[in-house]
Amino acid sequence: MSDSVSNRGLPLTTRGALVLAAFATALAFSIILPNLPSRIAAGSGFDDPATISRHTGLMTAAYTAAIFVSAPFLGRISDGWGRRPVLILGLAGFSTSLMLFELAGDLLLLYTARALAGVSAAAITPVALATVGDWSPDDGWRARRFAWIGAATMIGFMVGPLLGGTLSILSSKQAQLEAGAPLFWPIVLALVSACVIARTVPVSKRPSSSHANAYPPRSR
């Protein structure tokens, strides 16, 4: 790949995968929220609203705290290993956490799934932004791509509650096991993103003449 091509920034396919990864992360988080009290009640057997509310808050806090604690360490790891392996591990871990949440039958597994989701989320959107920053040819290019990732995150946060709320209404009439059904879509989106990232994100952290061939050939 010539320097003139590398100066155009990340290929469109790579940028799309990073945007999709950010969207899937936000979508999964916001889909779960409306159904979290019912999942806690089903998994723990609690029927006291105050107890369920307390665990709902603690479980949400576990997710946020996991991001807060792990994000700096994962950022340093991505500086050393490169962005691609951290992104792939983050997306794989996030998909695993959603599967675990869907299958969890007790309170401990629900907490474990949410904490794992938080750690994995810290390896996705922040590292996706760092990847864009590494390969930005100029400030304007970087700002526009940051905006796309931010917009994808906000759309995920807005769409998720709508889907999750609809599920919450339906789950009162159907089996409790159906409460995790919408998580299928964030799982698929995350895994698709991981596959594209594995093929298209450069191995090296930032471009230079010594690794000008880090990108795969770009199709027209």
Side-chain angles (χ1 to χ4, degrees), residues 49-87:
T51 302
I52 293 173
S53 296
R54 182 170 64 253
H55 283 289
T56 299
L58 289 173
M59 209 168 286
T60 304
Y63 178 93
T64 306
I67 294 177
F68 179 79
V69 171
S70 59
F73 296 101
L74 291 169
R76 293 193 191 99
I77 291 172
S78 73
D79 286 340
W81 288 7
R83 311 303 185 194
R84 184 168 72 180
V86 176
L87 284 167

PDB file of all heavy atoms in Angstrom, residues 49-87:
ATOM      1  N   PRO A  49     -40.284  -5.915  45.768  1.00  0.00           N
ATOM      2  CA  PRO A  49     -39.854  -4.872  44.826  1.00  0.00           C
ATOM      3  C   PRO A  49     -38.614  -4.112  45.286  1.00  0.00           C
ATOM      4  O   PRO A  49     -37.770  -3.756  44.465  1.00  0.00           O
ATOM      5  CB  PRO A  49     -41.066  -3.955  44.730  1.00  0.00           C
ATOM      6  CG  PRO A  49     -42.230  -4.817  45.090  1.00  0.00           C
ATOM      7  CD  PRO A  49     -41.714  -5.770  46.124  1.00  0.00           C
ATOM      8  N   ALA A  50     -38.507  -3.868  46.577  1.00  0.00           N
ATOM      9  CA  ALA A  50     -37.346  -3.126  47.075  1.00  0.00           C
ATOM     10  C   ALA A  50     -36.059  -3.922  46.873  1.00  0.00           C
ATOM     11  O   ALA A  50     -35.028  -3.366  46.480  1.00  0.00           O
ATOM     12  CB  ALA A  50     -37.538  -2.798  48.556  1.00  0.00           C
ATOM     13  N   THR A  51     -36.100  -5.222  47.136  1.00  0.00           N
ATOM     14  CA  THR A  51     -34.923  -6.070  46.941  1.00  0.00           C
ATOM     15  C   THR A  51     -34.543  -6.154  45.470  1.00  0.00           C
ATOM     16  O   THR A  51     -33.364  -6.062  45.105  1.00  0.00           O
ATOM     17  CB  THR A  51     -35.190  -7.476  47.499  1.00  0.00           C
ATOM     18  OG1 THR A  51     -35.532  -7.386  48.878  1.00  0.00           O
ATOM     19  CG2 THR A  51     -33.968  -8.362  47.342  1.00  0.00           C
ATOM     20  N   ILE A  52     -35.547  -6.310  44.620  1.00  0.00           N
ATOM     21  CA  ILE A  52     -35.288  -6.382  43.179  1.00  0.00           C
ATOM     22  C   ILE A  52     -34.700  -5.071  42.678  1.00  0.00           C
ATOM     23  O   ILE A  52     -33.749  -5.059  41.883  1.00  0.00           O
ATOM     24  CB  ILE A  52     -36.583  -6.736  42.426  1.00  0.00           C
ATOM     25  CG1 ILE A  52     -37.024  -8.157  42.780  1.00  0.00           C
ATOM     26  CG2 ILE A  52     -36.380  -6.604  40.917  1.00  0.00           C
ATOM     27  CD1 ILE A  52     -38.381  -8.537  42.230  1.00  0.00           C
ATOM     28  N   SER A  53     -35.230  -3.957  43.150  1.00  0.00           N
ATOM     29  CA  SER A  53     -34.709  -2.646  42.752  1.00  0.00           C
ATOM     30  C   SER A  53     -33.268  -2.467  43.199  1.00  0.00           C
ATOM     31  O   SER A  53     -32.440  -1.911  42.457  1.00  0.00           O
ATOM     32  CB  SER A  53     -35.575  -1.532  43.336  1.00  0.00           C
ATOM     33  OG  SER A  53     -36.881  -1.573  42.814  1.00  0.00           O
ATOM     34  N   ARG A  54     -32.965  -2.936  44.410  1.00  0.00           N
ATOM     35  CA  ARG A  54     -31.593  -2.809  44.901  1.00  0.00           C
ATOM     36  C   ARG A  54     -30.620  -3.600  44.032  1.00  0.00           C
ATOM     37  O   ARG A  54     -29.559  -3.104  43.638  1.00  0.00           O
ATOM     38  CB  ARG A  54     -31.511  -3.281  46.358  1.00  0.00           C
ATOM     39  CG  ARG A  54     -30.096  -3.120  46.942  1.00  0.00           C
ATOM     40  CD  ARG A  54     -30.070  -3.349  48.434  1.00  0.00           C
ATOM     41  NE  ARG A  54     -30.431  -4.724  48.794  1.00  0.00           N
ATOM     42  CZ  ARG A  54     -31.585  -5.085  49.340  1.00  0.00           C
ATOM     43  NH1 ARG A  54     -32.523  -4.168  49.589  1.00  0.00           N
ATOM     44  NH2 ARG A  54     -31.831  -6.339  49.647  1.00  0.00           N
ATOM     45  N   HIS A  55     -30.985  -4.831  43.683  1.00  0.00           N
ATOM     46  CA  HIS A  55     -30.101  -5.642  42.839  1.00  0.00           C
ATOM     47  C   HIS A  55     -30.025  -5.081  41.419  1.00  0.00           C
ATOM     48  O   HIS A  55     -28.975  -5.188  40.765  1.00  0.00           O
ATOM     49  CB  HIS A  55     -30.582  -7.090  42.811  1.00  0.00           C
ATOM     50  CG  HIS A  55     -30.235  -7.860  44.047  1.00  0.00           C
ATOM     51  ND1 HIS A  55     -28.935  -8.239  44.335  1.00  0.00           N
ATOM     52  CD2 HIS A  55     -31.010  -8.318  45.068  1.00  0.00           C
ATOM     53  CE1 HIS A  55     -28.921  -8.897  45.485  1.00  0.00           C
ATOM     54  NE2 HIS A  55     -30.165  -8.959  45.950  1.00  0.00           N
ATOM     55  N   THR A  56     -31.099  -4.478  40.933  1.00  0.00           N
ATOM     56  CA  THR A  56     -31.063  -3.843  39.613  1.00  0.00           C
ATOM     57  C   THR A  56     -30.032  -2.722  39.595  1.00  0.00           C
ATOM     58  O   THR A  56     -29.230  -2.606  38.663  1.00  0.00           O
ATOM     59  CB  THR A  56     -32.450  -3.288  39.241  1.00  0.00           C
ATOM     60  OG1 THR A  56     -33.395  -4.357  39.200  1.00  0.00           O
ATOM     61  CG2 THR A  56     -32.414  -2.607  37.881  1.00  0.00           C
ATOM     62  N   GLY A  57     -30.056  -1.889  40.633  1.00  0.00           N
ATOM     63  CA  GLY A  57     -29.082  -0.814  40.720  1.00  0.00           C
ATOM     64  C   GLY A  57     -27.660  -1.326  40.871  1.00  0.00           C
ATOM     65  O   GLY A  57     -26.734  -0.821  40.224  1.00  0.00           O
ATOM     66  N   LEU A  58     -27.472  -2.344  41.713  1.00  0.00           N
ATOM     67  CA  LEU A  58     -26.136  -2.892  41.927  1.00  0.00           C
ATOM     68  C   LEU A  58     -25.593  -3.554  40.662  1.00  0.00           C
ATOM     69  O   LEU A  58     -24.402  -3.443  40.346  1.00  0.00           O
ATOM     70  CB  LEU A  58     -26.171  -3.901  43.079  1.00  0.00           C
ATOM     71  CG  LEU A  58     -26.369  -3.318  44.479  1.00  0.00           C
ATOM     72  CD1 LEU A  58     -26.564  -4.436  45.497  1.00  0.00           C
ATOM     73  CD2 LEU A  58     -25.192  -2.430  44.869  1.00  0.00           C
ATOM     74  N   MET A  59     -26.469  -4.230  39.932  1.00  0.00           N
ATOM     75  CA  MET A  59     -26.034  -4.904  38.719  1.00  0.00           C
ATOM     76  C   MET A  59     -25.642  -3.900  37.635  1.00  0.00           C
ATOM     77  O   MET A  59     -24.664  -4.096  36.910  1.00  0.00           O
ATOM     78  CB  MET A  59     -27.138  -5.840  38.218  1.00  0.00           C
ATOM     79  CG  MET A  59     -26.622  -7.042  37.467  1.00  0.00           C
ATOM     80  SD  MET A  59     -27.909  -8.281  37.207  1.00  0.00           S
ATOM     81  CE  MET A  59     -28.059  -8.966  38.863  1.00  0.00           C
ATOM     82  N   THR A  60     -26.406  -2.820  37.551  1.00  0.00           N
ATOM     83  CA  THR A  60     -26.053  -1.760  36.602  1.00  0.00           C
ATOM     84  C   THR A  60     -24.757  -1.085  37.018  1.00  0.00           C
ATOM     85  O   THR A  60     -23.904  -0.752  36.175  1.00  0.00           O
ATOM     86  CB  THR A  60     -27.193  -0.724  36.521  1.00  0.00           C
ATOM     87  OG1 THR A  60     -28.414  -1.389  36.166  1.00  0.00           O
ATOM     88  CG2 THR A  60     -26.893   0.341  35.488  1.00  0.00           C
ATOM     89  N   ALA A  61     -24.586  -0.898  38.320  1.00  0.00           N
ATOM     90  CA  ALA A  61     -23.346  -0.306  38.826  1.00  0.00           C
ATOM     91  C   ALA A  61     -22.159  -1.211  38.562  1.00  0.00           C
ATOM     92  O   ALA A  61     -21.047  -0.727  38.277  1.00  0.00           O
ATOM     93  CB  ALA A  61     -23.470  -0.022  40.322  1.00  0.00           C
ATOM     94  N   ALA A  62     -22.360  -2.527  38.639  1.00  0.00           N
ATOM     95  CA  ALA A  62     -21.271  -3.469  38.365  1.00  0.00           C
ATOM     96  C   ALA A  62     -20.774  -3.321  36.931  1.00  0.00           C
ATOM     97  O   ALA A  62     -19.565  -3.367  36.664  1.00  0.00           O
ATOM     98  CB  ALA A  62     -21.740  -4.898  38.627  1.00  0.00           C
ATOM     99  N   TYR A  63     -21.703  -3.138  36.003  1.00  0.00           N
ATOM    100  CA  TYR A  63     -21.341  -2.938  34.598  1.00  0.00           C
ATOM    101  C   TYR A  63     -20.514  -1.664  34.438  1.00  0.00           C
ATOM    102  O   TYR A  63     -19.444  -1.662  33.810  1.00  0.00           O
ATOM    103  CB  TYR A  63     -22.611  -2.874  33.759  1.00  0.00           C
ATOM    104  CG  TYR A  63     -22.399  -2.614  32.284  1.00  0.00           C
ATOM    105  CD1 TYR A  63     -22.283  -3.679  31.386  1.00  0.00           C
ATOM    106  CD2 TYR A  63     -22.336  -1.321  31.784  1.00  0.00           C
ATOM    107  CE1 TYR A  63     -22.096  -3.447  30.033  1.00  0.00           C
ATOM    108  CE2 TYR A  63     -22.144  -1.082  30.433  1.00  0.00           C
ATOM    109  CZ  TYR A  63     -22.033  -2.143  29.565  1.00  0.00           C
ATOM    110  OH  TYR A  63     -21.845  -1.910  28.219  1.00  0.00           O
ATOM    111  N   THR A  64     -21.006  -0.563  35.018  1.00  0.00           N
ATOM    112  CA  THR A  64     -20.327   0.726  34.886  1.00  0.00           C
ATOM    113  C   THR A  64     -18.970   0.711  35.582  1.00  0.00           C
ATOM    114  O   THR A  64     -17.978   1.233  35.055  1.00  0.00           O
ATOM    115  CB  THR A  64     -21.208   1.841  35.466  1.00  0.00           C
ATOM    116  OG1 THR A  64     -22.496   1.791  34.859  1.00  0.00           O
ATOM    117  CG2 THR A  64     -20.586   3.200  35.236  1.00  0.00           C
ATOM    118  N   ALA A  65     -18.917   0.116  36.772  1.00  0.00           N
ATOM    119  CA  ALA A  65     -17.656   0.058  37.512  1.00  0.00           C
ATOM    120  C   ALA A  65     -16.620  -0.768  36.765  1.00  0.00           C
ATOM    121  O   ALA A  65     -15.425  -0.441  36.772  1.00  0.00           O
ATOM    122  CB  ALA A  65     -17.903  -0.520  38.905  1.00  0.00           C
ATOM    123  N   ALA A  66     -17.060  -1.845  36.119  1.00  0.00           N
ATOM    124  CA  ALA A  66     -16.132  -2.677  35.359  1.00  0.00           C
ATOM    125  C   ALA A  66     -15.511  -1.889  34.209  1.00  0.00           C
ATOM    126  O   ALA A  66     -14.310  -2.026  33.924  1.00  0.00           O
ATOM    127  CB  ALA A  66     -16.856  -3.912  34.820  1.00  0.00           C
ATOM    128  N   ILE A  67     -16.311  -1.054  33.555  1.00  0.00           N
ATOM    129  CA  ILE A  67     -15.765  -0.200  32.496  1.00  0.00           C
ATOM    130  C   ILE A  67     -14.758   0.786  33.080  1.00  0.00           C
ATOM    131  O   ILE A  67     -13.650   0.971  32.550  1.00  0.00           O
ATOM    132  CB  ILE A  67     -16.894   0.564  31.780  1.00  0.00           C
ATOM    133  CG1 ILE A  67     -17.805  -0.409  31.030  1.00  0.00           C
ATOM    134  CG2 ILE A  67     -16.323   1.601  30.819  1.00  0.00           C
ATOM    135  CD1 ILE A  67     -18.988   0.256  30.358  1.00  0.00           C
ATOM    136  N   PHE A  68     -15.142   1.433  34.176  1.00  0.00           N
ATOM    137  CA  PHE A  68     -14.299   2.462  34.794  1.00  0.00           C
ATOM    138  C   PHE A  68     -12.946   1.895  35.217  1.00  0.00           C
ATOM    139  O   PHE A  68     -11.896   2.524  35.014  1.00  0.00           O
ATOM    140  CB  PHE A  68     -15.021   3.057  36.004  1.00  0.00           C
ATOM    141  CG  PHE A  68     -14.241   4.107  36.735  1.00  0.00           C
ATOM    142  CD1 PHE A  68     -14.167   5.402  36.247  1.00  0.00           C
ATOM    143  CD2 PHE A  68     -13.580   3.800  37.917  1.00  0.00           C
ATOM    144  CE1 PHE A  68     -13.441   6.374  36.924  1.00  0.00           C
ATOM    145  CE2 PHE A  68     -12.857   4.761  38.596  1.00  0.00           C
ATOM    146  CZ  PHE A  68     -12.784   6.050  38.098  1.00  0.00           C
ATOM    147  N   VAL A  69     -12.959   0.694  35.792  1.00  0.00           N
ATOM    148  CA  VAL A  69     -11.724   0.107  36.318  1.00  0.00           C
ATOM    149  C   VAL A  69     -10.851  -0.449  35.187  1.00  0.00           C
ATOM    150  O   VAL A  69      -9.618  -0.293  35.197  1.00  0.00           O
ATOM    151  CB  VAL A  69     -12.056  -1.002  37.334  1.00  0.00           C
ATOM    152  CG1 VAL A  69     -10.805  -1.784  37.724  1.00  0.00           C
ATOM    153  CG2 VAL A  69     -12.709  -0.398  38.569  1.00  0.00           C
ATOM    154  N   SER A  70     -11.467  -1.095  34.209  1.00  0.00           N
ATOM    155  CA  SER A  70     -10.686  -1.828  33.209  1.00  0.00           C
ATOM    156  C   SER A  70     -10.261  -0.994  32.010  1.00  0.00           C
ATOM    157  O   SER A  70      -9.271  -1.336  31.348  1.00  0.00           O
ATOM    158  CB  SER A  70     -11.470  -3.043  32.726  1.00  0.00           C
ATOM    159  OG  SER A  70     -12.708  -2.658  32.162  1.00  0.00           O
ATOM    160  N   ALA A  71     -10.964   0.085  31.707  1.00  0.00           N
ATOM    161  CA  ALA A  71     -10.660   0.856  30.500  1.00  0.00           C
ATOM    162  C   ALA A  71      -9.207   1.350  30.452  1.00  0.00           C
ATOM    163  O   ALA A  71      -8.552   1.222  29.411  1.00  0.00           O
ATOM    164  CB  ALA A  71     -11.632   2.021  30.350  1.00  0.00           C
ATOM    165  N   PRO A  72      -8.655   1.926  31.546  1.00  0.00           N
ATOM    166  CA  PRO A  72      -7.253   2.375  31.462  1.00  0.00           C
ATOM    167  C   PRO A  72      -6.280   1.233  31.196  1.00  0.00           C
ATOM    168  O   PRO A  72      -5.327   1.395  30.412  1.00  0.00           O
ATOM    169  CB  PRO A  72      -7.007   3.005  32.842  1.00  0.00           C
ATOM    170  CG  PRO A  72      -8.365   3.370  33.351  1.00  0.00           C
ATOM    171  CD  PRO A  72      -9.270   2.303  32.832  1.00  0.00           C
ATOM    172  N   PHE A  73      -6.498   0.076  31.824  1.00  0.00           N
ATOM    173  CA  PHE A  73      -5.597  -1.053  31.619  1.00  0.00           C
ATOM    174  C   PHE A  73      -5.706  -1.597  30.196  1.00  0.00           C
ATOM    175  O   PHE A  73      -4.694  -1.919  29.559  1.00  0.00           O
ATOM    176  CB  PHE A  73      -5.913  -2.152  32.633  1.00  0.00           C
ATOM    177  CG  PHE A  73      -5.671  -1.754  34.058  1.00  0.00           C
ATOM    178  CD1 PHE A  73      -6.721  -1.376  34.877  1.00  0.00           C
ATOM    179  CD2 PHE A  73      -4.385  -1.724  34.584  1.00  0.00           C
ATOM    180  CE1 PHE A  73      -6.507  -0.989  36.189  1.00  0.00           C
ATOM    181  CE2 PHE A  73      -4.156  -1.342  35.898  1.00  0.00           C
ATOM    182  CZ  PHE A  73      -5.221  -0.974  36.703  1.00  0.00           C
ATOM    183  N   LEU A  74      -6.925  -1.694  29.693  1.00  0.00           N
ATOM    184  CA  LEU A  74      -7.112  -2.192  28.340  1.00  0.00           C
ATOM    185  C   LEU A  74      -6.548  -1.211  27.317  1.00  0.00           C
ATOM    186  O   LEU A  74      -6.055  -1.627  26.261  1.00  0.00           O
ATOM    187  CB  LEU A  74      -8.597  -2.448  28.074  1.00  0.00           C
ATOM    188  CG  LEU A  74      -9.176  -3.628  28.858  1.00  0.00           C
ATOM    189  CD1 LEU A  74     -10.703  -3.655  28.746  1.00  0.00           C
ATOM    190  CD2 LEU A  74      -8.590  -4.946  28.352  1.00  0.00           C
ATOM    191  N   GLY A  75      -6.621   0.080  27.619  1.00  0.00           N
ATOM    192  CA  GLY A  75      -5.994   1.058  26.738  1.00  0.00           C
ATOM    193  C   GLY A  75      -4.491   0.861  26.658  1.00  0.00           C
ATOM    194  O   GLY A  75      -3.902   0.915  25.563  1.00  0.00           O
ATOM    195  N   ARG A  76      -3.860   0.615  27.805  1.00  0.00           N
ATOM    196  CA  ARG A  76      -2.413   0.376  27.800  1.00  0.00           C
ATOM    197  C   ARG A  76      -2.076  -0.916  27.058  1.00  0.00           C
ATOM    198  O   ARG A  76      -1.074  -0.993  26.336  1.00  0.00           O
ATOM    199  CB  ARG A  76      -1.900   0.301  29.237  1.00  0.00           C
ATOM    200  CG  ARG A  76      -1.976   1.613  30.000  1.00  0.00           C
ATOM    201  CD  ARG A  76      -1.180   1.548  31.291  1.00  0.00           C
ATOM    202  NE  ARG A  76      -1.459   2.703  32.136  1.00  0.00           N
ATOM    203  CZ  ARG A  76      -2.296   2.706  33.158  1.00  0.00           C
ATOM    204  NH1 ARG A  76      -2.957   1.594  33.460  1.00  0.00           N
ATOM    205  NH2 ARG A  76      -2.492   3.781  33.874  1.00  0.00           N
ATOM    206  N   ILE A  77      -2.904  -1.939  27.255  1.00  0.00           N
ATOM    207  CA  ILE A  77      -2.661  -3.202  26.559  1.00  0.00           C
ATOM    208  C   ILE A  77      -2.765  -3.014  25.055  1.00  0.00           C
ATOM    209  O   ILE A  77      -1.955  -3.541  24.280  1.00  0.00           O
ATOM    210  CB  ILE A  77      -3.655  -4.273  27.050  1.00  0.00           C
ATOM    211  CG1 ILE A  77      -3.337  -4.666  28.500  1.00  0.00           C
ATOM    212  CG2 ILE A  77      -3.606  -5.516  26.150  1.00  0.00           C
ATOM    213  CD1 ILE A  77      -4.373  -5.576  29.125  1.00  0.00           C
ATOM    214  N   SER A  78      -3.760  -2.239  24.608  1.00  0.00           N
ATOM    215  CA  SER A  78      -3.906  -2.011  23.172  1.00  0.00           C
ATOM    216  C   SER A  78      -2.748  -1.179  22.628  1.00  0.00           C
ATOM    217  O   SER A  78      -2.390  -1.310  21.453  1.00  0.00           O
ATOM    218  CB  SER A  78      -5.243  -1.331  22.869  1.00  0.00           C
ATOM    219  OG  SER A  78      -5.244   0.023  23.266  1.00  0.00           O
ATOM    220  N   ASP A  79      -2.156  -0.327  23.457  1.00  0.00           N
ATOM    221  CA  ASP A  79      -0.967   0.413  23.031  1.00  0.00           C
ATOM    222  C   ASP A  79       0.192  -0.537  22.759  1.00  0.00           C
ATOM    223  O   ASP A  79       0.980  -0.314  21.838  1.00  0.00           O
ATOM    224  CB  ASP A  79      -0.540   1.412  24.112  1.00  0.00           C
ATOM    225  CG  ASP A  79      -1.464   2.619  24.182  1.00  0.00           C
ATOM    226  OD1 ASP A  79      -2.185   2.876  23.197  1.00  0.00           O
ATOM    227  OD2 ASP A  79      -1.464   3.297  25.230  1.00  0.00           O
ATOM    228  N   GLY A  80       0.288  -1.601  23.567  1.00  0.00           N
ATOM    229  CA  GLY A  80       1.390  -2.538  23.403  1.00  0.00           C
ATOM    230  C   GLY A  80       1.120  -3.636  22.393  1.00  0.00           C
ATOM    231  O   GLY A  80       1.980  -3.955  21.561  1.00  0.00           O
ATOM    232  N   TRP A  81      -0.056  -4.224  22.454  1.00  0.00           N
ATOM    233  CA  TRP A  81      -0.391  -5.343  21.574  1.00  0.00           C
ATOM    234  C   TRP A  81      -0.861  -4.895  20.199  1.00  0.00           C
ATOM    235  O   TRP A  81      -0.832  -5.656  19.246  1.00  0.00           O
ATOM    236  CB  TRP A  81      -1.500  -6.187  22.203  1.00  0.00           C
ATOM    237  CG  TRP A  81      -1.081  -6.987  23.378  1.00  0.00           C
ATOM    238  CD1 TRP A  81       0.119  -6.957  24.035  1.00  0.00           C
ATOM    239  CD2 TRP A  81      -1.880  -7.954  24.070  1.00  0.00           C
ATOM    240  NE1 TRP A  81       0.124  -7.819  25.090  1.00  0.00           N
ATOM    241  CE2 TRP A  81      -1.104  -8.455  25.133  1.00  0.00           C
ATOM    242  CE3 TRP A  81      -3.175  -8.424  23.898  1.00  0.00           C
ATOM    243  CZ2 TRP A  81      -1.584  -9.413  26.003  1.00  0.00           C
ATOM    244  CZ3 TRP A  81      -3.657  -9.378  24.763  1.00  0.00           C
ATOM    245  CH2 TRP A  81      -2.866  -9.871  25.806  1.00  0.00           C
ATOM    246  N   GLY A  82      -1.375  -3.692  20.116  1.00  0.00           N
ATOM    247  CA  GLY A  82      -2.068  -3.247  18.915  1.00  0.00           C
ATOM    248  C   GLY A  82      -3.566  -3.245  19.168  1.00  0.00           C
ATOM    249  O   GLY A  82      -4.068  -3.900  20.088  1.00  0.00           O
ATOM    250  N   ARG A  83      -4.286  -2.512  18.351  1.00  0.00           N
ATOM    251  CA  ARG A  83      -5.730  -2.356  18.561  1.00  0.00           C
ATOM    252  C   ARG A  83      -6.509  -3.608  18.196  1.00  0.00           C
ATOM    253  O   ARG A  83      -7.498  -3.950  18.850  1.00  0.00           O
ATOM    254  CB  ARG A  83      -6.252  -1.168  17.747  1.00  0.00           C
ATOM    255  CG  ARG A  83      -5.468   0.121  17.873  1.00  0.00           C
ATOM    256  CD  ARG A  83      -5.361   0.607  19.298  1.00  0.00           C
ATOM    257  NE  ARG A  83      -4.693   1.913  19.335  1.00  0.00           N
ATOM    258  CZ  ARG A  83      -4.224   2.463  20.431  1.00  0.00           C
ATOM    259  NH1 ARG A  83      -4.321   1.832  21.597  1.00  0.00           N
ATOM    260  NH2 ARG A  83      -3.637   3.649  20.390  1.00  0.00           N
ATOM    261  N   ARG A  84      -6.110  -4.286  17.143  1.00  0.00           N
ATOM    262  CA  ARG A  84      -6.917  -5.384  16.616  1.00  0.00           C
ATOM    263  C   ARG A  84      -7.160  -6.504  17.628  1.00  0.00           C
ATOM    264  O   ARG A  84      -8.322  -6.901  17.828  1.00  0.00           O
ATOM    265  CB  ARG A  84      -6.280  -5.946  15.336  1.00  0.00           C
ATOM    266  CG  ARG A  84      -7.134  -7.033  14.690  1.00  0.00           C
ATOM    267  CD  ARG A  84      -6.628  -7.360  13.305  1.00  0.00           C
ATOM    268  NE  ARG A  84      -5.366  -8.087  13.343  1.00  0.00           N
ATOM    269  CZ  ARG A  84      -4.725  -8.479  12.246  1.00  0.00           C
ATOM    270  NH1 ARG A  84      -5.208  -8.176  11.042  1.00  0.00           N
ATOM    271  NH2 ARG A  84      -3.600  -9.145  12.338  1.00  0.00           N
ATOM    272  N   PRO A  85      -6.135  -7.059  18.286  1.00  0.00           N
ATOM    273  CA  PRO A  85      -6.413  -8.155  19.218  1.00  0.00           C
ATOM    274  C   PRO A  85      -7.303  -7.755  20.387  1.00  0.00           C
ATOM    275  O   PRO A  85      -8.134  -8.543  20.847  1.00  0.00           O
ATOM    276  CB  PRO A  85      -5.019  -8.596  19.696  1.00  0.00           C
ATOM    277  CG  PRO A  85      -4.120  -7.461  19.383  1.00  0.00           C
ATOM    278  CD  PRO A  85      -4.680  -6.793  18.176  1.00  0.00           C
ATOM    279  N   VAL A  86      -7.149  -6.517  20.869  1.00  0.00           N
ATOM    280  CA  VAL A  86      -7.979  -6.068  21.985  1.00  0.00           C
ATOM    281  C   VAL A  86      -9.430  -5.922  21.541  1.00  0.00           C
ATOM    282  O   VAL A  86     -10.366  -6.298  22.258  1.00  0.00           O
ATOM    283  CB  VAL A  86      -7.432  -4.752  22.569  1.00  0.00           C
ATOM    284  CG1 VAL A  86      -8.355  -4.221  23.667  1.00  0.00           C
ATOM    285  CG2 VAL A  86      -6.033  -4.966  23.129  1.00  0.00           C
ATOM    286  N   LEU A  87      -9.644  -5.372  20.346  1.00  0.00           N
ATOM    287  CA  LEU A  87     -11.004  -5.257  19.825  1.00  0.00           C
ATOM    288  C   LEU A  87     -11.655  -6.622  19.649  1.00  0.00           C
ATOM    289  O   LEU A  87     -12.821  -6.824  20.020  1.00  0.00           O
ATOM    290  CB  LEU A  87     -10.979  -4.516  18.486  1.00  0.00           C
ATOM    291  CG  LEU A  87     -10.794  -3.000  18.536  1.00  0.00           C
ATOM    292  CD1 LEU A  87     -10.467  -2.459  17.150  1.00  0.00           C
ATOM    293  CD2 LEU A  87     -12.041  -2.319  19.088  1.00  0.00           C
TER     294      LEU A  87
END
